[in-house]
Amino acid sequence: MFQVIKDSLSQHQIIYVRGFGNFQNKHRAKRTARNVKRNTIVEVEAHEYPTFKPSKIFIEEVKKGLLTPSL
């Protein structure tokens, strides 16, 4: 399952899992950053990074599980 998710994200597809959430890529623009150790400015290229957004059902079930003890 994880291999399918990785392959799909590498092809810029969005994966929806009903009742769980979705996996997608987000775009981060080109920017400048600072290397604190060497005190230099570094150019960070634009790139994509994977994200996961849980569904409302998933969030509610996790909250319920945390509020009630499970033994």
Side-chain angles (χ1 to χ4, degrees):
M1 181 175 96
F2 294 116
Q3 189 61 43
V4 171
I5 291 171
K6 288 192 292 186
D7 291 343
S8 297
L9 288 175
S10 68
Q11 296 172 9
H12 304 288
Q13 297 174 349
I14 299 173
I15 299 99
Y16 297 102
V17 182
R18 183 182 287 258
F20 188 72
N22 65 28
F23 298 88
Q24 65 183 12
N25 287 328
K26 288 204 174 180
H27 179 75
R28 186 165 284 163
K30 182 179 177 179
R31 62 189 172 92
T32 57
R34 201 172 127 243
N35 183 341
V36 178
K37 225 175 192 181
R38 295 183 181 171
N39 198 23
T40 58
I41 295 176
V42 180
E43 291 286 328
V44 179
E45 296 296 322
H47 61 279
E48 303 279 328
Y49 64 99
T51 61
F52 171 73
K53 181 178 180 186
S55 70
K56 290 180 182 180
I57 297 168
F58 182 87
I59 292 169
E60 289 172 8
E61 288 182 10
V62 169
K63 284 181 181 179
K64 286 179 190 175
L66 292 175
L67 297 176
T68 58
S70 58
L71 297 176

